[in-house]
Amino acid sequence: MRRPRLWLVPTVLTGMLALLLSLLYMGGIISPNRDLRDLPLAIVNADQGKPPAGQKQNLGTQVAESILADTSTDKADWRRLTRAQAQDELDSGKIYGALLIPADFSDSVAALTTTRATERPTMTVLTNPGMGSLGSSLASRITTAAAQQSSQAIGKQLKEAGADRQAGSTAGLLLADPVGITTQVGHPIGDNSGLGLSAFYYTLLLVLAGFLGANMISMGVDTALGYADSEIGPWHTRRPTVPISRTQTLLLKMAMTAGITALTTTLIMLATVAILGMDATHLPLLWIFSYCASLAVGLGVQAINAAFGGIGQLVSMFVFIVLGLPSSGATIPLEAVPGFYRFLGIFEPMRQLSGGVRSILFFDARADAGLGRAWIMIAIGSVIAAAFGFAMTRYYDRKGLHRMTPQPSP
């Protein structure tokens, strides 16, 4: 207890770990509104009415042009789409929401200036809960604000034209804010989908199963081969050391990972889908994807452990979990996190895997909804893991850096 050198290393390492975890985890979620940039949204102008007197464009076109030309904020990336295009992008998870201007918009606004007005004109906000509850909420707030601002601009335009003097008393009250806003689900998901978060938690299960399973396999193999002690409570054993190269050991661990992952994948689906009732379709595809995703993580962990030895678990924890969670884009959209996490999202495994799971669960397993990219990144990640792991173990073997098993002093 009185030896400062004994305290130094664990104190420094645990302090740095706590600081890094705090900065990385909280840095990605602390202020989504401040960090929000270029959230993909659609503006759909279906207005077929005639332009107001003395103007060249109908009101729907004016509203759409005004929203698209607004440079006062960069929080939204507005896309001019048709109704069919917007629905397709909602169904593929390419946009978080849409603002729909109906076909009778100009005519219904014009009716407010007469005694024929019976109800307010409306614009519709379409949400996409499959993109996560926060992402859908941010999109709904932005589109609603754009619709409200347009409504007030139309009201001001009507008053300047003297419409408030021509309309009846009831209609005149509406002219300050003439347009109503309704909200509809643009791409429905099931009730047992965790408000769009089941894809994230399912992905987290796959990553944790791959990470923890690979580490348990690694420890079990090392114990069985006599390169690590087995200590359970007061019982301590050490098996005879088996003469085996690092490369052969890694091959054994990876082969066992491939076999055991089939069991863990099946149990994950059994628990989440069969027992808990999570909404899921394309079950055979979901199992195959889950197996390959968890296996890719497991192979990566085995390669890192083989290359870095005792600190391999810490390195793999940062690669697959610490950096993966805030850059996954599954709970908070990548458009609402700092640029550092957007960069990590290009290659971090959890980002790729969550896109594939989300596509299978919510977007009919469409390749352009993230599944195609996920398959490509799983293949690339597995190849890199195998190449890196075996390159390092062969290097150690050629250099004669065999695993040592020191014996206790007499």
Side-chain angles (χ1 to χ4, degrees):
M1 290 289 288
R2 295 192 181 101
R3 294 181 181 179
R5 190 175 299 177
L6 181 66
W7 288 78
L8 181 61
V9 173
T11 300
V12 172
L13 290 180
T14 54
M16 290 180 60
L17 183 61
L19 178 62
L20 285 174
L21 287 175
S22 301
L23 291 175
L24 290 171
Y25 280 148
M26 300 304 292
I29 67 166
I30 203 70
S31 184
N33 293 322
R34 180 195 62 196
D35 297 318
L36 182 61
R37 299 288 186 279
D38 300 325
L39 192 72
L41 300 171
I43 178 74
V44 179
N45 177 28
D47 190 4
Q48 299 178 358
K50 296 180 180 180
Q55 300 184 30
K56 297 181 179 180
Q57 297 176 325
N58 61 26
L59 291 177
T61 302
Q62 293 180 32
V63 169
E65 294 293 340
S66 175
I67 292 175
L68 292 169
D70 185 11
T71 59
S72 62
T73 178
D74 59 354
K75 294 187 180 298
D77 176 21
W78 289 100
R79 306 174 183 180
R80 189 202 307 268
L81 302 175
T82 65
R83 182 67 179 88
Q85 290 172 334
Q87 189 61 55
D88 182 70
E89 297 212 353
L90 286 167
D91 294 340
S92 61
K94 295 178 180 177
I95 57 175
Y96 285 81
L99 180 61
L100 175 60
I101 304 172
D104 62 345
F105 185 69
S106 291
D107 294 338
S108 59
V109 172
L112 292 177
T113 64
T114 69
T115 57
R116 302 192 309 273
T118 58
E119 59 183 11
R120 297 175 72 187
T122 61
M123 285 190 282
T124 302
V125 171
L126 300 178
T127 62
N128 195 354
M131 298 301 290
S133 55
L134 180 59
S136 182
S137 175
L138 289 171
S140 177
R141 191 187 66 191
I142 293 173
T143 49
T144 300
Q148 290 173 340
Q149 185 175 355
S150 299
S151 175
Q152 294 169 3
I154 291 173
K156 183 178 179 180
Q157 178 180 333
L158 293 174
K159 286 189 174 182
E160 289 175 350
D164 54 339
R165 295 189 298 272
Q166 302 172 18
S169 57
T170 302
L173 295 175
L174 296 176
L175 295 183
D177 187 13
V179 180
I181 302 168
T182 61
T183 300
Q184 297 178 7
V185 177
H187 178 79
I189 60 175
D191 293 335
N192 297 329
S193 298
L195 299 177
L197 291 176
S198 60
F200 165 71
Y201 284 102
Y202 187 88
T203 303
L204 182 60
L205 283 173
L206 298 180
V207 173
L208 288 176
F211 173 79
L212 296 174
N215 281 311
M216 293 178 67
I217 291 169
S218 182
M219 290 187 294
V221 168
D222 287 344
T223 300
L225 297 179
Y227 291 93
D229 292 349
S230 175
E231 187 173 359
I232 303 175
W235 295 280
H236 174 268
T237 59
R238 181 69 172 272
R239 292 179 177 272
T241 301
V242 177
I244 184 173
S245 69
R246 291 176 181 268
T247 302
Q248 290 174 315
T249 303
L250 177 59
L251 181 60
L252 171 61
K253 291 178 178 180
M254 285 189 169
M256 292 183 63
T257 300
I260 295 175
T261 299
L263 173 64
T264 58
T265 299
T266 302
L267 293 176
I268 288 173
M269 285 193 61
L270 177 66
T272 57
V273 180
I275 298 177
L276 298 178
M278 180 184 76
D279 288 325
T281 57
H282 306 283
L283 295 182
L285 175 61
L286 180 62
W287 188 92
I288 294 172
F289 180 86
S290 301
Y291 173 77
C292 293
S294 191
L295 176 60
V297 174
L299 296 180
V301 171
Q302 298 292 13
I304 292 173
N305 287 347
F308 294 97
I311 65 170
Q313 293 185 19
L314 186 62
V315 174
S316 58
M317 183 184 73
F318 268 86
V319 171
F320 292 104
I321 298 177
V322 175
L323 296 177
L325 285 172
S327 63
S328 67
T331 53
I332 297 179
L334 285 181
E335 293 82 4
V337 298
F340 172 68
Y341 299 95
R342 300 188 199 187
F343 169 73
L344 290 178
I346 298 174
F347 55 85
E348 262 295 320
M350 193 172 291
R351 168 60 175 168
Q352 324 310 323
L353 301 185
S354 65
V357 171
R358 177 183 282 172
S359 173
I360 296 173
L361 294 184
F362 301 146
F363 300 114
D364 198 29
R366 291 180 52 160
D368 60 348
L371 184 58
R373 176 184 173 86
W375 278 122
I376 293 172
M377 297 303 286
I378 285 174
I380 292 175
S382 299
V383 170
I384 291 176
F388 173 70
F390 286 114
M392 294 302 296
T393 54
R394 290 189 64 184
Y395 171 78
Y396 293 151
D397 288 336
R398 287 198 305 267
K399 290 292 185 179
L401 302 174
H402 304 299
R403 304 179 74 184
M404 304 300 292
T405 55
Q407 300 297 322
S409 300

